Amino acid sequence: DLPKVARTINDVFRSYGTLKEYPVFAIALEMSTTMYDVNVTPNKRTVFVKEAFKLTELIKWFFTEMFKPAANTYIVQKIDDFLSLA
């Protein structure tokens, strides 16, 4: 459970999406064993990531680049189609 990573993804998604949409992501992080520590709690559910700020910034950059093409996408519709709905 990496709450800072989840919050970063959520913040980027919200900046490009609507409030009625909810993101679902599964992320597989491959890191050197020197970059994290699972011996924080006895049940090993808490993970301490060294340089977590850099990790969240990298994830923020990645998802911003991923969502950027969709930021200025609009549906083009003929005016006749719009007027026929009225």
Side-chain angles (χ1 to χ4, degrees):
D1 185 26
L2 297 169
K4 290 180 184 178
V5 171
R7 175 147 181 114
T8 300
I9 295 170
N10 224 355
D11 289 346
V12 172
F13 183 81
R14 296 269 182 253
S15 68
Y16 288 99
T18 66
L19 296 176
K20 294 181 181 179
E21 297 175 325
Y22 300 95
V24 176
F25 293 97
I27 299 175
L29 299 174
E30 292 184 23
M31 294 187 278
S32 167
T33 56
T34 61
M35 295 301 296
Y36 62 90
D37 185 10
V38 294
N39 294 316
V40 180
T41 58
N43 64 5
K44 310 279 193 255
R45 290 193 60 196
T46 303
V47 177
F48 175 76
V49 178
K50 296 176 185 172
E51 300 188 39
F53 178 76
K54 287 183 181 179
L55 176 64
T56 56
E57 287 299 308
L58 178 64
I59 289 173
K60 182 177 182 179
W61 171 83
F62 175 80
F63 281 101
T64 300
E65 291 298 312
M66 187 177 82
F67 288 127
K68 195 183 290 186
N72 296 318
T73 303
Y74 304 98
I75 298 172
V76 177
Q77 189 173 6
K78 293 180 181 178
I79 190 72
D80 295 335
D81 295 341
F82 177 74
L83 294 175
S84 68
L85 295 176

